[in-house]
């Protein structure tokens, strides 16, 4: 029966668009969360056009086949984990973009990488701000699915703030246009915003209209090291309560050392924490911000403070921060967390994670988009060591429970996916969860879109 | 039966909270759209607490009584028009606010006026940006219901960009918390954003967590007059394609003259259009922006260009622009439009409205938040003149149809309400409309929340 149904799909789409060769489909079973529960999909479909996505979903609806939408496969929560007897719908070949400098918008398909969008708009002197650390390898469609964040979000907001319009294909194959190139538009419910962050559970995005900004001004960067995590976290609050930095990042000792192992930048290996602040205010205002940040860091007992407005030197520090995850990953396998708290609880979150690490006899390196309270604890473990793996998994849950207890979130920017689903109700509560499910049921009554993900 | 049911509601709430005195309820039948089809409500309920809103909605659900949520009653689309045998639920007495300068957030109830929120946060050196022209008389709850905009939105975005969390009471009386004081949080669907702009059709907002910014820097303002609407619109594009102004407003000849009648500011009564640009960049950058705007205006053939960085003088121009609607209203009754287009179509929209005014033998004054393509055509008519009233109503529809034909929206910031509902499907199409209705049905299956409004 299933084989027959699949023949129907193959016949409905251009030659080669439906891939069943296991040597290829194997690479689409997991995203970077490497979910061990990933299934074996019937096929991977790689459409180029909205009409083809419609054909896939009409077919899937008719046969009750689950569809897992997939961007570049860089997700960290298992939001693109393949299912047995399901389809993986990869948007990787949907790569058109047109940029309109007059309206400062771009219309693009979901398969472009974030970096490719940045590059295409930069050619018109424009800037697409959201900058996940993975921006060179993650797709804009995946960014929309998770409402991705990044480093500049502390000043410039997250993906949803730049999405003016979408074309989405619903579970039944209907293609709907939502919003468009209008900076203000309140006609009907804010459905564009509902689809951003919906992790492929409500529809498949086939086109997005992005809002762009004029090119970013060069940044002044201030780097400071601290003897304690608490002093660093307090310094972060000292900055955010006075100015609006364009970047405010945190690295703990393990991250500093892992980065120093790779880059030999002369970072202080003895420091407990490092904070990187940036300002992109124009002219003298950027220098004023940098001076203020340096003064705040010193006030909070910084061991060393270093400021630069040299673009290459600034970029080197930002690159070092972006490289934290691969650098720590070189020391072992990672369970990658993404918890966030209201800013005043940041120190308590980080010190609480240190306690969990000690209790579970694990290394947990904490890096953070500190200015918006979003941390990435990196739990290092050896998958060959069953006991350690189990301790890592326990710590993974305990960190989320700690964040929720501090008024925080189990995921700031990576999404719930499959890995964090058991903790969602603990954060948002049964009534909000029921509300999520009512909307899901209204839009995808048969539950074929990414079943088991998010909620 | 109805009287008995009402007794039950009166008994369930504190004394005096349910008002049935027609002398009072009369004032709650209409908002500023003065919808002639407004009904006579059974009662007006003015709760102070979330629990009381829950009691009202539980009661209304049990008895199938429609509930029209109402903020300050300043809506311009009939979103708060009362219904026969319904309840008006006014949030005017829900007026608590607490400001947290460390997280730069405020938690407040919906009944506070926008200006009161601005004032309360300003005491902590903070700024709540969204600034509808009615900011002194409209409520924050109403702003959330319509996703209100204003003058500074061209740079700072609209209400939804500042809403981090909500408490909402659903049709069945369940109170749900969505989001919270976290700058990044992607756990579950973006329900907070779905409720912003839902015009009271999905639930009643009883508390909001607002994101705040540091106090705005003082603005440099540049004012220019033009011989033609097209030159003025082209000048607007000349600015937005180069910089990001904090304000970019447009007034046509009728608006200039109406304002001049009141303020005697020495505005050029012969000009076809006036453009006001503002920059709040810090230090020298603000002056640079002002110089650039002045140069762009001159390039586009401005008759006169005037720049100032004096705060009082700047504020006088902004106040004049804000006063346009009352000033034009002094010349006759108004049908107030709120259409928007992608920026390149701005000139075509305004000249098209001139054509409609000539064809229908009406005065239609156009003012606009030009930088984001959002215009407010003001159709002047005499309600005592039946033929003129009918021509005004025809023009009202024709303007929306023109905006949609130009790729625009029937409402940029006022909402669809009851007055614009017949035109919604023409803009968003049947599939998007059906999607709105599926979500409405999922959240309010009996349809008791603001039935007939929005969609």
């Amino acid at each position: 029966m299933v084989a027959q149904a699949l023949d129907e799909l193959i016949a409905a789409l251009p030659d080669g668009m439906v891939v069943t060769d296991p040597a290829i489909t194997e690479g689409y079973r997991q995203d970077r969360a490497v979910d061990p529960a990933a299934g074996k999909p019937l096929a991977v479909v790689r459409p180029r056009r909205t009409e083809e996505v419609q054909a896939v979903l009409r077919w899937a609806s008719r046969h009750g086949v689950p569809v897992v939408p997939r961007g570049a496969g860089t997700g960290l929560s298992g939001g693109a984990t393949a299912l047995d007897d399901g389809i993986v719908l990869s948007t990787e070949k949907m790569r058109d973009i047109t940029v309109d400098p007059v309206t400062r918008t771009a219309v693009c398909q979901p398969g472009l990488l974030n970096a490719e969008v940045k590059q295409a708009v930069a050619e018109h002197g424009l800037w697409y701000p959201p900058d996940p650390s993975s921006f060179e390898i993650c797709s804009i469609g995946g960014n929309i699915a998770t409402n991705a964040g990044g480093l500049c979000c502390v000043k410039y907001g997250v993906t949803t703030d730049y999405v003016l319009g979408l074309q989405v294909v619903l579970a039944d194959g209907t293609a709907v246009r939502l919003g468009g190139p209008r900076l203000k538009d309140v006609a009907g419910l804010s459905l564009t915003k509902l689809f951003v962050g919906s992790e492929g559970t409500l529809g498949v995005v086939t086109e997005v209209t992005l809002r762009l900004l004029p090119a970013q001004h060069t940044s002044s960067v201030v780097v400071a090291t601290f003897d304690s995590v608490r002093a660093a976290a307090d310094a972060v609050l000292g900055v955010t309560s006075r100015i609006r930095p364009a970047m405010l990042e945190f690295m703990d000792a393990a991250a500093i050392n892992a980065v120093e192992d790779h880059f030999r930048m002369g970072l202080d290996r003895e420091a407990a924490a490092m904070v990187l602040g940036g300002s992109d205010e124009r002219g003298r205002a950027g220098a004023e911000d940098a001076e203020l940040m340096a003064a705040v860091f010193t006030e909070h007992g910084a061991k060393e403070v270093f400021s630069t407005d040299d673009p290459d030197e600034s970029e080197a520090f930002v690159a070092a921060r972006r490289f934290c995850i691969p650098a720590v990953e070189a020391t072992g396998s990672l369970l990658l967390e993404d918890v966030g708290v209201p800013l005043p609880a940041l120190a308590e979150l980080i010190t609480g994670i240190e306690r969990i690490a000690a209790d579970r006899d694990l290394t947990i390196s904490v890096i953070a988009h500190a200015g918006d309270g979003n941390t990435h604890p990196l739990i290092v473990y050896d998958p060959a060591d069953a006991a350690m793996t189990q301790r890592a998994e326990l710590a993974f849950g305990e960190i989320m429970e700690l964040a929720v207890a501090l008024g925080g979130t189990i995921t700031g920017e990576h999404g719930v996916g499959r890995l964090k689903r058991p903790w969602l109700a603990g954060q948002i509560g049964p009534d909000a969860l029921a509300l999520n499910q009512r909307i899901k049921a209204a839009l995808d009554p048969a539950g074929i879109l990414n079943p088991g993900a998010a909620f």
Side-chain angles (χ1 to χ4, degrees), chain A residues 226-227 253 256-257 267-273 303:
Chain A
F226 295 87
D227 267 335
I256 294 169
N257 278 281
L267 303 180
D268 178 1
R269 288 182 178 274
E270 306 301 312
K303 295 176 71 178

Side-chain angles (χ1 to χ4, degrees), chain A residues 147-394:
Chain A
N147 190 13
L151 280 68
C152 74
C153 305
V154 61
K155 179 168 182 180
Y156 289 98
V158 293
T159 302
T160 193
D161 299 314
Y162 295 87
V163 177
L164 292 176
L166 292 175
Q167 183 173 44
V168 293
V169 177
L170 304 178
D172 64 6
T174 313
V176 185
R177 286 198 177 274
L178 306 170
R182 297 172 290 273
L183 294 178
K184 285 180 182 161
D185 183 356
V186 297
L189 296 172
S190 301
L191 298 181
T192 308
K193 300 276 187 195
L194 176 65
F195 278 86
V196 179
S198 63
E199 301 193 46
T201 62
L202 301 183
V204 179
V205 170
T206 58
E207 186 188 282
V208 55
T209 303
L210 296 171
R211 176 180 161 239
L212 307 170
L213 297 186
Q216 189 179 23
H217 295 279
T218 54
S219 291
S220 299
V221 168
V222 185
V223 184
T225 50
F226 295 87
D227 267 335
S228 81
V229 160
R230 189 166 291 276
D234 288 347
V236 165
L237 285 177
V239 171
T240 58
S241 61
R242 280 185 245 187
I243 61 162
R244 204 152 70 110
M247 174 183 76
L248 196 54
E249 296 288 315
F250 171 96
M251 293 162 59
D252 73 358
I256 294 169
N257 278 281
V259 167
E260 187 61 19
D261 287 346
H262 281 77
F263 282 117
R264 313 282 171 203
M265 296 177 74
L267 303 180
D268 178 1
R269 288 182 178 274
E270 306 301 312
M274 188 164 108
V275 174
L276 293 85
S279 171
D280 63 353
E281 293 286 313
R282 285 157 61 184
R284 180 75 203 130
E288 282 168 18
D289 281 358
E291 285 157 24
L292 185 141
M293 287 190 278
V296 169
F297 295 155
T298 303
E299 250 169 56
H300 285 87
K303 295 176 71 178
E304 268 191 279
V305 179
F306 174 77
S307 299
T308 178
D309 57 7
D310 176 81
D312 293 337
E313 210 165 32
S314 299
E315 187 45 39
F317 281 111
V318 177
R321 163 59 190 85
R322 285 192 202 279
F323 194 69
C324 279
I325 295 178
V328 176
E329 205 163 17
T331 71
S333 287
L334 296 185
L335 275 183
L336 213 149
E337 270 287 6
D338 175 41
V339 296
V341 286
L343 268 189
L346 184 62
E348 215 168 325
L349 176 67
I350 299 174
T351 54
I353 292 167
E354 288 177 338
R355 265 197 318 276
I356 292 170
D359 289 352
R360 295 288 174 197
D361 190 21
L362 293 163
T363 298
I364 306 181
S365 171
V366 177
I367 55 178
H369 306 305
D372 48 33
N374 178 208
T375 72
H376 294 312
L378 310 174
I379 308 171
V380 185
Y381 74 108
D382 174 2
D385 179 339
M388 190 185 203
T389 303
Q390 197 189 8
R391 295 201 310 278
E393 283 166 359
L394 289 169

Side-chain angles (χ1 to χ4, degrees), chain A residues 29-49:
Chain A
R29 293 181 55 230
Q30 297 170 315
D31 56 23
R32 281 168 70 96
V34 199
D35 186 346
K40 295 202 172 165
L42 285 179
V44 174
V45 187
R46 297 182 292 200
R48 293 175 188 277
R49 295 146 37 87

Side-chain angles (χ1 to χ4, degrees), chain A residues 379-427:
Chain A
I379 308 171
V380 185
Y381 74 108
D382 174 2
D385 179 339
M388 190 185 203
T389 303
Q390 197 189 8
R391 295 201 310 278
E393 283 166 359
L394 289 169
F396 186 72
E398 287 164 352
I399 290 170
M400 283 189 274
E401 284 152 15
L402 172 64
V404 170
L406 293 171
T409 177
I410 61 170
T411 175
E413 56 184 12
H414 294 170
V416 174
R418 282 156 193 284
L419 267 54
K420 299 201 151 196
R421 201 164 59 114
W423 288 272
L424 180 64
Q427 176 187 333

Side-chain angles (χ1 to χ4, degrees), chain A residues 85-153:
Chain A
D85 300 323
I87 291 289
V88 173
L89 195 165
S90 168
T91 57
E92 74 199 280
K93 293 191 187 287
M94 304 183 77
R95 295 178 43 77
D96 287 345
I97 183 166
T98 52
V99 181
D100 179 358
V102 178
T103 54
R104 279 214 295 262
T105 56
V107 175
C108 71
Q109 287 188 309
L112 280 174
L113 302 184
N114 177 300
E116 292 172 326
V117 172
K118 283 187 191 299
Q119 178 58 36
V121 309
E123 286 166 17
H124 298 269
L126 297 170
W127 179 40
Y128 173 69
D131 59 346
S133 285
S134 58
F135 77 104
E136 290 169 307
I137 53 170
C138 62
S139 73
I140 194 77
N143 291 177
I144 293 164
T146 54
N147 190 13
L151 280 68
C152 74
C153 305

